[in-house]
Protein backbone atom coordinates (compact mmCIF):
# COMPACT_ATOMS: atom_id res chain seq x y z
CA UNK A 1 0.00 0.00 0.00
CA UNK A 2 2.83 2.40 0.84
CA UNK A 3 4.42 1.79 -2.54
CA UNK A 4 1.20 2.83 -4.28
CA UNK A 5 0.98 5.99 -2.18
CA UNK A 6 4.57 6.84 -3.11
CA UNK A 7 3.72 6.22 -6.77
CA UNK A 8 0.73 8.55 -6.50
CA UNK A 9 2.94 11.29 -5.06
CA UNK A 10 5.46 10.89 -7.84
CA UNK A 11 2.68 11.02 -10.42
CA UNK A 12 1.46 14.24 -8.86
CA UNK A 13 4.97 15.73 -9.06
CA UNK A 14 5.20 14.57 -12.66
CA UNK A 15 1.93 16.29 -13.55
CA UNK A 16 3.24 19.55 -12.10
CA UNK A 17 6.74 19.46 -13.58
CA UNK A 18 6.55 17.02 -16.53
CA UNK A 19 9.95 15.73 -15.41
CA UNK A 20 10.63 12.21 -16.63
CA UNK A 21 12.34 11.28 -13.35
CA UNK A 22 9.06 11.37 -11.46
CA UNK A 23 7.12 9.19 -13.89
CA UNK A 24 9.93 6.62 -13.92
CA UNK A 25 9.92 6.60 -10.13
CA UNK A 26 6.14 6.14 -10.15
CA UNK A 27 6.44 3.18 -12.50
CA UNK A 28 9.15 1.66 -10.30
CA UNK A 29 7.03 2.01 -7.18
CA UNK A 30 4.04 0.42 -8.90
CA UNK A 31 6.36 -2.46 -9.81
CA UNK A 32 7.41 -2.84 -6.20
CA UNK A 33 3.76 -2.83 -5.13
CA UNK A 34 3.06 -5.57 -7.66
CA UNK A 35 5.99 -7.54 -6.29
CA UNK A 36 4.61 -7.31 -2.76
CA UNK A 37 1.14 -8.30 -3.96
CA UNK A 38 2.57 -11.30 -5.77
CA UNK A 39 4.41 -12.38 -2.62
CA UNK A 40 1.21 -12.15 -0.55
CA UNK A 41 -1.30 -13.54 -3.02
CA UNK A 42 0.81 -16.38 -4.36
CA UNK A 43 2.41 -18.57 -1.76
CA UNK A 44 6.06 -18.31 -2.68
CA UNK A 45 7.49 -19.89 0.41
CA UNK A 46 10.59 -21.30 -1.09
CA UNK A 47 13.68 -19.45 -2.13
CA UNK A 48 14.04 -21.81 -5.07
CA UNK A 49 11.55 -19.68 -6.99
CA UNK A 50 13.47 -16.43 -7.30
CA UNK A 51 11.73 -15.27 -10.48
CA UNK A 52 9.17 -13.39 -8.43
CA UNK A 53 11.97 -11.08 -7.37
CA UNK A 54 12.72 -10.12 -10.97
CA UNK A 55 9.95 -7.52 -10.73
CA UNK A 56 11.71 -5.94 -7.78
CA UNK A 57 15.03 -6.08 -9.60
CA UNK A 58 13.46 -4.36 -12.61
CA UNK A 59 12.08 -1.63 -10.33
CA UNK A 60 15.49 -0.95 -8.81
CA UNK A 61 17.13 -0.92 -12.23
CA UNK A 62 14.49 1.56 -13.38
CA UNK A 63 15.22 3.82 -10.38
CA UNK A 64 18.95 3.68 -11.11
CA UNK A 65 18.29 4.47 -14.76
CA UNK A 66 16.07 7.42 -13.81
CA UNK A 67 18.74 8.90 -11.55
CA UNK A 68 21.47 8.48 -14.16
CA UNK A 69 19.17 9.91 -16.85
CA UNK A 70 18.37 12.93 -14.68
CA UNK A 71 22.04 13.63 -14.01
CA UNK A 72 23.00 13.36 -17.68
CA UNK A 73 20.45 15.95 -18.80
Amino acid sequence: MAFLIAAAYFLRFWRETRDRLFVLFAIAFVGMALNRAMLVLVAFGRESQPYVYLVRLAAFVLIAFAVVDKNRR
Side-chain angles (χ1 to χ4, degrees):
M1 187 69 169
F3 288 126
L4 291 178
I5 292 171
Y9 271 104
F10 282 118
L11 279 178
R12 191 179 90 192
F13 295 145
W14 173 73
R15 275 195 316 193
E16 293 174 2
T17 64
R18 295 292 179 192
D19 191 350
R20 187 171 36 191
L21 173 79
F22 295 126
V23 76
L24 291 176
F25 270 41
I27 293 170
F29 277 95
V30 168
M32 285 193 260
L34 288 175
N35 177 256
R36 289 293 178 175
M38 288 171 49
L39 287 173
V40 170
L41 298 176
V42 182
F44 289 105
R46 296 180 299 183
E47 293 180 5
S48 63
Q49 299 170 332
Y51 56 86
V52 71
Y53 296 104
L54 290 177
V55 176
R56 187 182 302 176
L57 176 65
F60 283 118
V61 168
L62 187 59
I63 288 173
F65 171 77
V67 170
V68 170
D69 182 55
K70 177 69 176 181
N71 288 326
R72 296 187 101 195
R73 284 190 274 152

